[in-house]
């Protein structure tokens, strides 16, 4: 069980209060999108229409659409779930499925609406299954069930903590999917609408309800959003034909653990005339071609309107979003085209009373706030209880580790686990009297990645430095928001030989002065990363070479 580790950056049971001398922070978000040209009235005609319970692209708007849109037109993906198409598909062999384009598209494209991703290239016949886990809250029973699923798949089975505060499991075979879906429902889970052109897992504060400094408990709001998006696990075809994926978060902490600046819609807590509600940010996203920070919608909604506002924004995007080049179909491209005020007016049209208040000046997020680290032992707002933050290298968890996590949550906590967008895990609700015993558990012994170990051997770092790694070109590891980010690539060494490498990003921030990092150096061979990281840490993060530190001592 070597895949987990805990970093203890502060002594057990200590709590770091916000620094009163923290330097003033810059504003979190970039300016508005580029100024849009006047939009022709015909452009505001909805491009989709309802037919037989599903939304489809109108024939007049089908010229120049991308291949994924054509697949949706040929057969409605949600029928695989809502009309039990998965039951029949699962009875076929892979050879039978691959004989016809339609069924081949089912397993390679349409099943993503059920959160199933075929690993055709490297694991033919095996699927990754992504779940929905609002706010990253899961139970020991759910964790054990997922562990039991991946156990049967041997070396192909494992689980990941995702950057959407979520579980995904690997190695699944199609023939087992109907049974797995039933098991998920029995433990209160779903994988529905978690992939492709759908709303992804609603993100919230991983310390919701236990944080002494939280602004608001985000769990009720993320649960409501998830229930609305999936129609309580039954499937919501009103929202399953979006132009691309769409991310939403509810912020409940001054630390901005939710990363609001990279969400399509972010709810930012704010008061208005004694009423609690949210200012709104829209349009943030990552892609291989463009990274855009969310911008203010100049709107505030009371807490009761969280779902109606989400519905209005989604319908605006569904109705008007571009469906050509997939690299230009995220919601920010629509905001660019309409202008923020034009986009806002379309959202207002789709609100229940066609009314939306302007942004409130009573922002509840403190601008002068040092982002806290949740690793190690930290006191909860509940007297006598603490939570423990565990570091999960690259977010990968094996079946035995999942079982052990569930066991620790039951024995020492309340049977609950929290997942974070940095792909780590928090065990909450631990009685302080049990902390010492928990820290002696084998699963919590320190393990570090090779590069980190080498770097720490060469330099001493006086503050935490967040390093994100990803091998995915779609920026799944969110390397742009890391202090130092590594995006895997193939490159050539000094002899011209092809080797594994990484593009290195520096300067990303999360918290009250969040911004995206910049490319520091491209195509660095992996064997050359250690000296480069050491140089970055010394030049930009105040690290001290070990030899100099020894001399100074």
């Amino acid at each position: 069980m070597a895949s987990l580790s805990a970093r203890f950056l502060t002594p057990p049971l200590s709590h770091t209060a916000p620094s009163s001398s923290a330097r003033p922070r810059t504003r979190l978000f970039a300016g508005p999108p580029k100024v849009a040209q006047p939009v022709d009235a015909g452009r505001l005609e909805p491009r989709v229409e309802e037919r037989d319970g599903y939304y489809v692209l109108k024939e007049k708007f089908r010229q120049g659409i991308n291949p994924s849109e054509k697949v949706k037109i040929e057969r409605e993906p949600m029928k695989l779930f809502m009309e039990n198409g998965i039951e029949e598909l699962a009875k076929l062999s892979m050879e039978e499925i691959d004989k016809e384009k339609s069924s081949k598209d089912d397993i390679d494209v349409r099943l993503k609406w059920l959160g199933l991703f075929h690993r055709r290239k490297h694991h033919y016949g095996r699927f990754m299954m992504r779940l929905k886990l609002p706010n990253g809250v899961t139970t020991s029973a759910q964790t054990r069930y997922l562990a039991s699923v991946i156990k049967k798949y041997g070396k192909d089975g494992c689980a990941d903590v995702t950057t959407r505060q979520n579980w995904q499991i690997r190695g699944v075979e199609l023939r087992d999917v109907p049974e797995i879906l039933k098991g998920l429902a029995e433990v209160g889970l779903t994988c529905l609408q978690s992939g492709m052109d759908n709303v992804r897992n609603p993100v919230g504060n991983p310390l919701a309800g236990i944080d002494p400094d939280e602004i608001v408990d985000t769990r009720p709001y993320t649960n409501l959003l998830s229930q609305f998006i999936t129609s309580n696990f039954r499937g919501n075809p009103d929202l399953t034909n979006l132009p691309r994926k769409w991310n939403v978060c509810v912020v409940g902490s001054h630390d901005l653990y939710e990363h609001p600046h990279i969400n399509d819609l972010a709810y930012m807590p704010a008061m208005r005339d004694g009423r609690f509600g949210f200012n709104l940010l829209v349009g943030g996203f990552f892609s291989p071609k463009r990274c855009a920070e969310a911008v203010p919608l100049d709107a505030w909604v009371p807490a009761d309107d969280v779902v109606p506002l989400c519905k209005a924004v989604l319908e605006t995007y569904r109705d008007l979003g571009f469906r050509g080049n997939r690299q230009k179909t995220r919601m920010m491209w629509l905001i660019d085209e309409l202008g923020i005020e034009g986009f806002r007016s379309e959202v207002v049209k789709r609100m229940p009373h066609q009314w939306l208040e302007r942004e409130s000046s009573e922002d509840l997020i403190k601008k002068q706030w040092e982002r806290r680290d949740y690793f190690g032992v930290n006191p909860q707002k509940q007297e006598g209880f603490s939570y423990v933050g565990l570091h999960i290298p690259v977010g990968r968890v094996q079946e035995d580790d999942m079982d052990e996590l569930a066991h620790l949550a039951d024995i020492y906590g309340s049977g609950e686990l929290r997942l974070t967008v940095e792909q780590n895990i928090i065990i909450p609700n631990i009685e302080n009297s049990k902390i010492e015993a928990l820290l002696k558990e084998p699963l919590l012994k320190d393990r570090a990645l090779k590069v980190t170990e080498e770097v720490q051997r060469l330099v001493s770092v006086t503050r935490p430095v967040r390093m994100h790694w990803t091998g995915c070109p779609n920026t799944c590891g969110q390397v742009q928001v890391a202090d130092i980010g590594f995006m895997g690539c193939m490159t050539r060494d000094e002899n011209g030989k092809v080797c594994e490498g990484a593009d290195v990003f520096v300067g990303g921030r999360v918290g009250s002065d969040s911004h995206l990092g910049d490319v520091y150096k491209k195509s660095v061979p992996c064997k050359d990363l250690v000296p480069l990281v050491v140089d970055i840490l010394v030049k930009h993060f105040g690290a001290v070479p070990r030899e100099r530190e020894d001399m100074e001592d």
Side-chain angles (χ1 to χ4, degrees), residues 85 112 157 181 375 432:
K112 293 178 182 179
L181 292 177
F375 291 114
N432 290 342

Side-chain angles (χ1 to χ4, degrees), residues 388-401:
V388 172
L390 306 178
H391 174 54
I392 313 295
V394 300
R396 178 60 52 85
V397 187
Q398 302 299 327
E399 174 259 333
D400 287 344
D401 293 329

Side-chain angles (χ1 to χ4, degrees), residues 297-312:
L297 184 62
D298 190 14
W300 177 91
V301 293
D304 289 345
D305 282 349
V306 163
V307 169
L309 182 280
C310 181
K311 182 174 183 288

Side-chain angles (χ1 to χ4, degrees), residues 336-347:
D336 282 344
E337 181 184 0
L338 302 183
I340 193 66
E341 194 60 31
F343 180 82
R344 186 187 190 280
S345 68
E346 290 301 311
V347 173

Side-chain angles (χ1 to χ4, degrees), residues 211 253-258 369-373 510-512:
D211 181 4
S253 163
H254 304 291
D255 306 272
L256 305 185
Y257 293 128
E258 308 82 0
W369 183 270
E370 281 295 326
R371 187 180 193 266
R372 298 165 298 162
D373 205 321
V510 292
S512 59

Side-chain angles (χ1 to χ4, degrees), residues 348-363:
V348 170
K349 289 179 186 177
R350 292 163 174 83
M351 288 293 288
H353 302 292
Q354 297 190 339
W355 170 253
L356 195 55
E357 296 186 66
R358 294 289 175 175
E359 183 175 88
S360 170
S361 61
E362 300 177 65
D363 185 1

Side-chain angles (χ1 to χ4, degrees), residues 41-68:
R43 175 63 183 88
L44 301 180
E45 178 188 347
R47 299 184 172 195
V48 296
E49 60 185 356
E50 191 270 332
R51 289 186 192 171
D52 301 323
Y54 301 95
Y55 275 83
V56 297
L57 191 63
K58 295 177 182 177
E59 292 187 15
K60 64 191 292 186
F61 295 114
R62 293 182 182 180
Q63 187 173 358
I65 60 175
N66 60 65
S68 297

